[in-house]
């Protein structure tokens, strides 16, 4: 019987955190990692199925992948191996879980990193290595579910930027080999990154690529997205980041006065995937169509904010 397992995950920091726990909990297992950006799920299913059959894989673990809108693929994946587990924290339509007949762990109040860490019971160890891993889990959890007031948030935020720069799988392997201690160049890299970010934001302002009205910010940029969201959230509740690839990222503030029912009303009119405070859609890159879409969504948001006396 093969000593290898297959892991499917999202290509972000939360998945990196999941990989750290998987590596630590299963040190004697060979792990084949597949990552998705959601656009490639159909093609990736064929690749995973082929790999599992060719290598007689007995275990498939999926972490931090949302299947809202792609439930048939999840059901197909669950049948590929005798041992199957899905760990996730994204939002789902009512009734999504009702007919699932396989093992899954779900909690939308925690990151997939923390859910995976707790599943493997790695918090029960008290070695220095274990303490380092625990700290990384807290950093990633605070960042991924956007707990801005957490003492871990800023460091988790910086950790995400570093991981994106070097690659998720590479970063996970690097941390694992260093007993979960941060790389030697981490501090200097973060300082340099933050300086470049400030310069980029100033350029956006100078080029009039930032628009603000009615508690909404719309920013046209491909770079420094999360830094811009934080800056815009200082004064506005909703931030739309529009990039040149036809993606609009919606980021909703976590202020208590921005009630969950208002957010649900906004999100339900735009998409059924992602998180309540963070979701992304793809639109036509044609300029006129793009501007029409942006206007449509900002009107939806403004209407709901007005209902809640938030603008």
């Amino acid at each position: 019987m093969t000593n290898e397992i297959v892991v499917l995950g999202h290509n972000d920091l939360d998945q990196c955190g999941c990989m750290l726990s998987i590596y630590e909990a299963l040190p004697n297992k060979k792990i084949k990692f597949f990552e998705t950006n959601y656009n490639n799920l159909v093609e990736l299913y064929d690749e995973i199925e082929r790999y599992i059959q060719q290598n007689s894989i007995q275990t498939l673990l999926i972490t931090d992948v949302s299947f809202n809108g792609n439930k048939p693929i999840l059901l197909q994946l669950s049948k590929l191996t005798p041992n199957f587990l899905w760990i996730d924290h994204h939002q789902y339509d009512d009734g999504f879980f009702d007919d699932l007949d396989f093992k899954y762990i779900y909690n939308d109040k925690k990151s997939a990193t923390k859910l995976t860490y707790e599943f493997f019971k790695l918090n029960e160890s008290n070695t220095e290595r274990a303490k380092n891993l625990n700290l990384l889990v807290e950093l990633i959890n605070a960042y991924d579910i956007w707990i801005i007031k957490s003492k871990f948030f800023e460091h988790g935020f910086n950790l995400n930027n570093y991981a994106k720069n070097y690659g998720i799988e590479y970063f996970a392997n690097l941390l694992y080999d260093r007993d979960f201690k941060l790389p030697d160049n981490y501090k200097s890299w973060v300082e340099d990154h933050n300086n470049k970010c400030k310069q980029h934001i100033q350029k956006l302002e100078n080029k009039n690529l930032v628009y603000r009205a009615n508690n909404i910010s719309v920013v046209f940029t491909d770079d420094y997205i999360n830094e811009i969201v934080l800056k815009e959230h200082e004064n506005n509740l909703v931030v739309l980041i529009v990039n040149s690839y036809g993606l609009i990222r919606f980021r909703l503030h976590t202020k208590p006065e921005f009630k969950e029912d208002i957010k649900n009303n906004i999100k339900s009119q735009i998409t059924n995937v992602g998180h309540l405070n963070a979701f992304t859609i793809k639109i036509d890159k044609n300029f006129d169509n793009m501007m029409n879409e942006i206007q449509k969504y900002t009107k939806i948001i403004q209407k709901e904010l007005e209902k809640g006396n938030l603008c």
Side-chain angles (χ1 to χ4, degrees):
M1 183 177 294
T2 181
N3 192 43
E4 184 176 15
I5 70 169
V6 168
V7 176
L8 168 63
H10 187 207
N11 58 341
D12 67 356
L13 179 66
D14 197 16
Q15 177 57 27
C16 177
C18 295
M19 292 303 297
L20 295 179
S21 288
I22 293 168
Y23 289 153
E24 188 70 356
L26 306 171
N28 298 318
K29 291 285 187 181
K30 179 182 176 183
I31 298 170
K32 173 64 176 178
F33 176 51
F34 292 89
E35 65 176 38
T36 181
N37 58 9
Y38 293 115
N39 293 323
N40 64 343
L41 261 180
V42 174
E43 296 82 0
L44 201 57
Y45 171 82
D46 294 334
E47 189 178 343
I48 292 171
E49 179 184 37
R50 187 163 51 249
Y51 189 89
I52 285 174
Q53 291 176 350
Q54 290 175 349
N55 296 277
S56 301
I57 303 297
Q58 300 297 301
T59 301
L60 171 59
L61 173 58
I62 302 178
T63 52
D64 193 38
V65 179
S66 170
F67 289 95
N68 210 26
N70 285 303
K71 188 173 181 178
I73 296 179
L74 173 62
L75 297 177
Q76 288 176 292
L77 286 165
S78 71
K79 295 176 171 59
L80 292 180
T81 56
N83 305 308
F84 178 83
L85 174 62
W86 173 46
I87 301 175
D88 195 34
H89 69 133
H90 295 89
Q91 280 197 314
Y92 288 89
D93 295 333
D94 291 341
F96 184 92
F97 297 91
D98 291 351
D99 60 347
L100 300 185
D101 61 356
F102 51 79
K103 185 172 182 179
Y104 65 87
I105 295 170
Y106 176 75
N107 186 336
D108 64 356
K109 305 302 182 188
K110 297 180 180 181
S111 64
T113 289
K114 194 152 195 174
L115 293 175
T116 304
Y117 177 74
E118 291 174 349
F119 169 76
F120 286 115
K121 299 181 179 179
L122 294 169
N123 53 336
E124 296 179 0
S125 177
N126 199 37
T127 64
E128 192 65 29
R129 179 179 172 89
K131 290 177 182 177
N132 292 340
L133 176 57
N134 179 264
L135 177 58
L136 286 172
V137 168
E138 293 300 333
L139 296 178
I140 295 170
N141 185 71
Y143 166 76
D144 193 70
I145 58 176
W146 214 251
I147 309 174
I148 296 177
K149 293 184 178 180
S150 168
K151 64 180 180 179
F152 300 114
F153 180 81
E154 182 179 353
H155 294 295
F157 190 93
N158 292 330
L159 196 70
N160 176 68
N161 291 327
Y162 189 95
K164 282 170 57 180
N165 182 72
Y166 285 93
I168 299 303
E169 190 171 8
Y170 169 82
F171 189 48
N173 283 302
L174 179 66
L175 290 171
Y176 181 82
D177 291 340
R178 290 176 54 86
D179 289 332
F180 304 115
K181 296 176 183 177
L182 293 175
D184 295 334
N185 73 333
Y186 176 78
K187 185 176 180 180
S188 61
W189 186 92
V190 168
E191 289 176 355
D192 182 61
H193 173 87
N194 290 340
N195 287 332
K196 290 177 180 176
C197 174
K198 291 176 183 178
Q199 295 171 14
H200 178 75
I201 291 175
Q202 188 58 54
K203 286 180 182 178
L204 295 178
E205 297 280 3
N206 294 342
K207 294 180 179 180
N208 295 317
L209 293 172
V210 183
Y211 300 84
R212 304 178 183 97
N214 304 309
N215 236 333
I216 305 168
S217 297
V218 179
V219 185
F220 294 84
T221 183
D222 288 345
D223 302 308
Y224 301 102
I225 292 166
N226 290 321
E227 291 87 348
I228 291 169
V229 169
L230 278 180
K231 182 177 183 297
E232 292 304 309
H233 271 169
E234 292 174 3
N235 297 299
N236 290 319
L237 290 178
V238 181
V239 182
L240 281 67
I241 303 291
V242 185
N243 72 14
S244 60
Y245 307 108
L247 294 179
I248 304 180
R249 291 178 171 87
F250 296 78
R251 298 296 183 263
L252 281 56
H253 208 296
T254 56
K255 285 183 176 179
E257 61 265 32
F258 197 179
K259 302 296 185 184
E260 191 167 305
D261 60 334
I262 301 173
K263 294 179 179 180
N264 273 317
N265 289 340
I266 291 172
K267 183 172 182 286
S268 65
Q269 296 177 69
I270 300 173
T271 183
N272 65 347
V273 299
H275 301 286
L276 185 61
N277 294 319
F279 49 91
T280 302
I281 63 169
K282 187 170 180 60
I283 60 174
D284 190 336
K285 288 190 290 185
N286 174 276
F287 181 78
D288 290 334
N289 292 340
M290 179 181 287
M291 296 309 294
N292 288 336
E293 289 290 294
I294 293 168
Q295 287 182 337
K296 179 178 76 174
Y297 295 128
T298 53
K299 286 179 180 177
I300 288 172
I301 295 166
Q302 182 180 343
K303 182 179 178 181
E304 296 301 329
L305 291 179
E306 287 174 348
K307 286 181 182 177
N309 297 315
L310 294 173
C311 73

